């Protein structure tokens, strides 16, 4: 009697199925809706201040958004990457493995004719797409909102130079890409934690709580030696995208730090997945 070999599902079908499952969840759609609404509300809010000012190096960053279409998307990214974007990324990562385990569906996935490496790759792809989509949606809506409120002639860097719409859009896209890599690092660590537990809330509490602890540690002068190991230490340098020319040193360091977290996070997640009991 011949034994039929298990048929491996096409990778594109697995990826499409993962994205369909993610984007059918109400909390994913709610989060994206809030991120889309936030830059509109933020942009309108900057117009109700009593004395809008032009952008200069020494003035309040929030105040300079009024009348400046370039600063709104970068400032929106800098505020959302502190909490909302990491929260959305962590929620997706916690549902990817811990959520599946809590519902009992991860066991069937581990027994299916899909290697555990491919399974982790599919889950990581879903987390990466959600975090990238959320950041890109937020940035583009903020950029369009800034153009509508301030006009295309008011794209001014904090160095005082006026940018064209094309150059402003390019800088916003580069800043968004930088933020996306930071979120991918958060997603990698969240997946590593998600692979070790069956409780999604524990994943969210661990990762979001860890980010707050990192932020606190970076404010303590005596612990400055820890700064190179804290992923949040580079997040303040997103404002460098508002300078002309852009100083690359701190941004590159932040990018390399995020890549290290990505490698470590996915390595730990893979090590757990290949040894996980079915």
């Amino acid at each position: 009697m011949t034994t039929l070999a298990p048929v491996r599902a096409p990778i594109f079908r697995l990826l499409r199925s993962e994205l369909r499952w993610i984007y059918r969840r109400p909390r994913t759609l709610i989060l994206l809706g809030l991120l889309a609404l936030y830059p509109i509300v933020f942009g309108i809010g900057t117009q109700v201040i009593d004395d809008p000012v032009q952008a200069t190096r020494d003035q309040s960053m929030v105040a300079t958004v009024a009348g400046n279409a370039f600063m709104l998307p970068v400032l929106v990214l800098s505020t959302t990457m502190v909490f909302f974007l990491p929260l959305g990324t962590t929620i997706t990562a916690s549902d990817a493995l811990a959520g599946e385990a809590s519902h009992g569906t991860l066991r069937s996935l581990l027994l299916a004719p899909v290697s555990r490496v491919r399974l982790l790759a599919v889950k990581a792809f879903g987390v990466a797409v959600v975090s990238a989509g959320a950041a890109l949606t937020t940035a583009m809506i903020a950029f369009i909102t800034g153009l509508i409120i301030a006009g295309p002639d008011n794209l001014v860097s904090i160095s005082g130079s006026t940018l064209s719409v094309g150059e402003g859009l390019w800088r916003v896209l580069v800043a968004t890409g930088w933020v996306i890599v930071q979120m991918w690092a958060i997603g990698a660590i969240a997946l590593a934690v998600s692979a070790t537990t069956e409780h999604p809330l524990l994943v969210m509490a661990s990762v979001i709580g860890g980010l707050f602890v990192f932020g606190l540690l970076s404010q303590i002068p005596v612990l400055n030696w820890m700064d190179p190991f804290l992923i949040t230490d580079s997040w303040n340098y997103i404002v460098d995208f508002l300078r002309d020319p852009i100083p690359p040193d701190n941004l590159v360091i932040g990018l390399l730090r995020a890549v290290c977290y990505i490698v470590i996070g996915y390595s730990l997640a893979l090590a757990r997945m290949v040894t996980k009991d079915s």
Side-chain angles (χ1 to χ4, degrees), residues 36 39-41 43-44 47 68-74 76 135-155 165 168-169 172-173 176:
I40 299 176
V41 175
I44 294 175
Q47 302 306 304
N68 192 332
F70 176 52
M71 291 196 177
L72 179 61
V74 177
V76 165
L136 188 60
T137 299
T138 303
M140 289 301 96
I141 292 179
F143 185 73
I144 295 173
T145 301
L147 291 178
I148 293 174
I149 292 176
D153 297 328
N154 292 306
L155 294 163
V165 174
L169 177 60
V172 171
L173 289 176
T176 304

Side-chain angles (χ1 to χ4, degrees), residues 36 49 55 59 61 71 81 96 111 114 147 154 221 235-236 249 258:
I49 61 177
Q59 291 167 330
M61 190 62 65
M71 291 196 177
M81 74 182 297
L111 294 174
V114 178
L147 291 178
N154 292 306
W235 287 3
N236 290 332
D249 295 344

Side-chain angles (χ1 to χ4, degrees), residues 18 23-24 43 92 94 103 105 109 111-112 118 124 128 134 146 160 171 176 199 210 213 237 261 266 275:
E18 180 70 12
Y23 281 102
R24 283 183 176 178
T92 307
S94 63
H103 290 93
T105 54
L109 290 175
L111 294 174
R118 293 183 78 196
R171 289 196 181 209
T176 304
H199 306 285
V213 172
Y237 294 117
Y261 269 86
Y266 284 135
T275 59

Side-chain angles (χ1 to χ4, degrees), residues 13 152 157 175:
R13 181 184 302 174
S157 69

Side-chain angles (χ1 to χ4, degrees), residues 38 42-43 45-49 51-56 58-68 71-72 75-76 78-79 158 239 242:
Y38 174 73
F42 192 95
T46 60
Q47 302 306 304
V48 300
I49 61 177
D51 185 21
V53 293
Q54 296 299 319
T56 63
D58 299 326
Q59 291 167 330
S60 169
M61 190 62 65
V62 176
T64 57
V65 176
N68 192 332
M71 291 196 177
L72 179 61
L75 186 56
V76 165
S78 69
T79 54
I158 59 177
V239 297
L242 296 173

